[in-house]
Amino acid sequence: MLRLPPRPPRFDVLIALAGLLGGLLLWGLGLHTRIAAPTVPAGNSAAWTLLPLAATAGAELLRRSWTGCGLAVGTVALVADQFTVGSLATVLMYTDLVYAAALYGPPGRARRLPAVTGLVTVAVTLALLAWTRQPQALLVGLVVGVIFFGPATTGAMLRNHREAAAAARLRAEQTALLAEMDRVQAVTDERARMARELHDLVAGHLSAIAIHSTAALSLDDEATSRRALGVIRENSVAGLAEMRRLIEVLRAEDADTPSVAPTLEGLGALVEQARANGLDVRSFTPPPVDPPPPAPVGLAAYRIVQESLTNALKHGAPGPVDAVLGRADGALTVRVVSPLGVQAGPGPRLPGAGAGLVGMRERAELLGGSFSAGPVGGQRWEVRAVLPLGEAPGGPRGTVSGQVDDDPGDTRER
């Protein structure tokens, strides 16, 4: 089935009409490119000029859609025009067809067209020079180059510029997209980091407050109630102070504002606070202080011990708790063992249960370490983390074992 060309753009229609009307005006004024046609009788030669003019104007309607067909029709019309008195409008419209073929045609044709028209120009110039042996043949060759080679080269150059501009825009859009993805990832990572810090700051103090407030409400003993209220006040004040320091850091505009992140040197005070809150910390083995671990490793170890003691206070059964930190094989090992709690009934899970394990796991993974948590020996709960002390960019991610939330033997809400 014959496929008709699409409707030409308005600009192409205007070009065709302008060329046709201009050619008719030149024909009416008797302005031609030659005085007489070489093969047509002089009396009828001017009328024959209108046929190539009309064909070239029709080919202009195909300059964008069917560039090859339009160029072929225009070439035939230009050759036919050489056997008449000639029309300048036909020549000008043909140069536009060559230009459009290089600009809008297929990429392969656009690359070949300047070379082909250049060879045609050289061949015609050499042929005329060999035939006439006159220097004027060089001027004819120059005219041929203006008609063929000039428009083809101009169209190809403009096409290359457009393609380069399109590629530059695409690269800019891709760069902007990657920058936006990096920004979103950075915001997500920062929000996750802030969530871990807020959880670690608040959970321990609020857990102690909840436990001792329950004891103060349930026991009708003035001394016990006063001790519980004292612990509640101490944890409330400490929690507010830590929250205030964190808010000051978040509000600070100066990038050099000192951090309030705790270090391993504060583990002793953390253990004493846990004992004051009622946790029976039987033994505590701090890590070697020399050489000090990197700041991210020290912060992660501190938070893991802090969260482990908080979980033991919230969910564990009464009994001794052991916290051991050691350095071996280029890694800092954190191990906290506490009594495994026994849930009284199938009651609802505590709000936020499991968030602490997620935070500890994320801290270990971000450092390329490993983390595990789960019951050991049937009556004890162990939290173990191995944090590499050396930098290992691009190294393997940490592994996580002990899926405590899905373990049927886990009777504590972590």
Side-chain angles (χ1 to χ4, degrees), residues 326-380:
R327 187 196 304 258
D329 299 330
L332 180 64
T333 302
V334 180
R335 182 173 176 267
V336 180
V337 182
S338 58
L340 185 62
V342 179
Q343 187 171 338
R349 294 168 62 91
L350 294 177
L357 289 176
V358 173
M360 289 188 287
R361 178 192 64 193
E362 290 177 349
R363 291 184 184 277
E365 285 184 336
L366 289 174
L367 296 174
S370 62
F371 173 79
S372 63
V376 292
Q379 298 297 325
R380 303 283 284 175

Side-chain angles (χ1 to χ4, degrees), residues 86-97:
S87 173
L88 181 61
T90 301
V91 176
L92 292 179
M93 285 191 292
Y94 181 77
T95 59
D96 180 69
L97 290 175

